């Protein structure tokens, strides 16, 4: 692999652009994407979360773009000006309008929220009965399919994100995987192999092995994102992804051409 399309900077919850680029260059990459979190939802809960987390790229992307231009002059590395957008099916109009106006090199779409709460919040979802948690996993994959069908994005981030939460882990089914794979097979949107928590407590890549096998069975191309927020994470996550792709003889898709 020669590109990491999914890293974060201080314009959301990551590290300095310069340090992320330096780490990508030292890891032997030819290209790195700075894809900070962004949310354009009018929902009060998401708006408050956005303010609390500082995910204000919709207001700061032009300033960040100037920083990326400056960094490009100092590295033998392609540095992409990208975005990771929160996706909700009923907000497609607002997302499309923002992406059209901003003109990023590419956009990553993410399903982060269920029942108005980030899917990572174990304490919230663990209290719910299993039947309700299964319904929420159904809803997660409905959103993932809608994301693919919208074709708003070049990349779909961590396509089985619910697996990171122990309250949801193991509740996804082959039916979920096949339905999502069919949607991606018909879409310009490419799911990523994401190492966001592969070297920590979760211990697996996204998508997990069963989902990855299903995507490949349907002929779906895959791209690569380490989802790194710190420079020291880039190299080991690249190594982990490369090992997985080599084992399966998979060549990742280049999202941005020469």
């Amino acid at each position: 692999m020669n590109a990491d399309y999914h890293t974060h900077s201080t314009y959301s919850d990551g590290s300095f652009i310069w340090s992320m680029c330096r780490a990508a260059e030292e890891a032997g990459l030819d290209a790195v994407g700075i894809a900070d979190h962004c949310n354009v939802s009018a929902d009060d809960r998401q708006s408050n979360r956005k303010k609390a987390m500082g995910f204000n790229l919709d207001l700061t992307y032009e300033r960040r773009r100037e920083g990326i231009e400056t960094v490009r002059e100092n590295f033998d590395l392609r540095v992409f000006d990208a975005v990771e957008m929160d996706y909700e099916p009923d907000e497609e109009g607002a997302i499309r309008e923002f992406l059209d106006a901003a003109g990023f090199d590419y956009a990553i779409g993410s399903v982060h929220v269920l029942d108005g709460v980030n899917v990572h919040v174990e304490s919230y979802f663990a209290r719910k009965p299993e039947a309700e948690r299964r319904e929420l996993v159904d809803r997660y994959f409905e959103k993932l399919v809608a994301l693919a069908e919208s074709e708003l994005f070049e990349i779909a981030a961590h396509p089985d994100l619910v697996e990171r939460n122990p309250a949801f882990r193991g509740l996804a089914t082959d039916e979920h995987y096949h339905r999502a794979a069919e949607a991606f097979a018909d879409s310009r949107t490419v799911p990523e192999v994401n190492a966001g928590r592969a070297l920590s407590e979760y211990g697996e890549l996204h998508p997990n092995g069963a989902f990855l096998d299903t995507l490949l069975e349907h002929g779906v191309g895959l791209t690569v994102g380490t989802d790194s927020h710190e420079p020291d994470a880039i190299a080991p996550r690249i190594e982990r992804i490369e090992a997985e792709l080599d084992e399966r003889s998979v060549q990742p898709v280049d999202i941005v051409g020469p």
Side-chain angles (χ1 to χ4, degrees):
M1 57 181 275
N2 60 8
D4 177 359
Y5 288 105
H6 186 168
T7 71
H8 295 277
S9 81
T10 50
Y11 281 84
S12 59
D13 57 351
S15 300
F16 292 120
I17 295 171
W18 186 92
S19 62
M20 299 302 285
C21 292
R22 173 62 70 198
E25 187 177 65
E26 291 177 349
L29 293 175
D30 297 325
V32 65
I34 308 299
D36 286 300
H37 293 284
C38 188
N39 185 304
V40 293
S41 175
D43 180 87
D44 287 342
R45 288 178 296 181
Q46 298 312 310
S47 179
N48 289 337
R49 176 176 176 270
K50 168 182 166 179
K51 292 172 184 175
M53 298 294 291
F55 295 167
N56 296 310
L57 195 67
D58 55 323
L59 304 177
T60 61
Y61 71 89
E62 291 176 322
R63 190 188 335 157
R64 192 194 68 169
R65 185 165 292 160
E66 293 175 0
I68 289 174
E69 290 288 351
T70 299
V71 165
R72 283 171 174 160
E73 299 171 1
N74 293 281
F75 292 95
D76 184 20
L77 183 76
R78 294 186 73 188
V79 184
F80 297 125
D81 172 25
V83 62
E84 182 182 0
M85 293 290 305
D86 285 342
Y87 172 77
E88 290 289 340
D90 59 358
E91 294 167 357
E92 287 185 6
I95 294 170
R96 189 181 305 278
E97 182 178 358
F98 171 68
L99 291 177
D100 287 347
F104 295 105
D105 291 331
Y106 59 87
I108 300 174
S110 296
V111 178
H112 278 130
V113 174
L114 290 172
D115 200 27
V117 177
N118 190 286
V119 297
H120 294 92
V121 183
E122 181 181 357
S123 59
Y124 176 81
F125 294 107
R127 296 194 300 265
K128 294 182 177 296
E130 181 178 328
E132 189 171 345
R133 285 184 278 125
R134 288 186 180 278
E135 290 175 358
L136 287 167
V137 171
D138 288 343
R139 180 58 180 150
Y140 174 86
F141 279 92
E142 287 171 3
K143 288 186 179 184
L144 183 65
V145 167
L147 184 156
E149 292 176 344
S150 76
E151 299 204 329
L152 285 166
F153 311 102
E154 282 74 21
I155 298 172
H158 35 60
D160 60 349
L161 186 63
V162 285
E163 290 293 318
R164 284 196 201 173
N165 189 330
F168 292 129
R169 194 168 299 157
L171 299 183
T173 65
D174 287 343
E175 183 178 351
H176 290 131
Y177 296 155
H178 281 284
R179 179 67 186 93
E182 289 168 1
F184 282 119
D186 292 334
S187 175
R188 77 181 184 97
T189 302
V190 179
E192 68 176 3
V193 178
N194 177 297
R197 298 286 175 92
L199 302 179
S200 61
E201 75 281 359
Y202 174 49
E204 289 196 41
L205 295 171
H206 298 293
N208 65 25
F211 193 5
L212 181 54
D213 286 341
T214 303
L215 290 165
L216 294 173
E217 177 186 332
H218 284 266
V220 175
L222 298 161
T223 192
V224 169
T226 66
D227 204 354
S228 296
H229 293 67
E230 302 291 338
D232 290 347
I234 292 178
R237 290 181 181 185
I238 288 170
E239 183 178 348
R240 174 69 175 83
I241 292 172
E242 284 182 331
E244 186 78 19
L245 296 182
D246 287 347
E247 181 178 336
R248 297 169 183 271
S249 300
V250 173
Q251 184 66 33
V253 173
D254 288 328
I255 296 299
V256 182

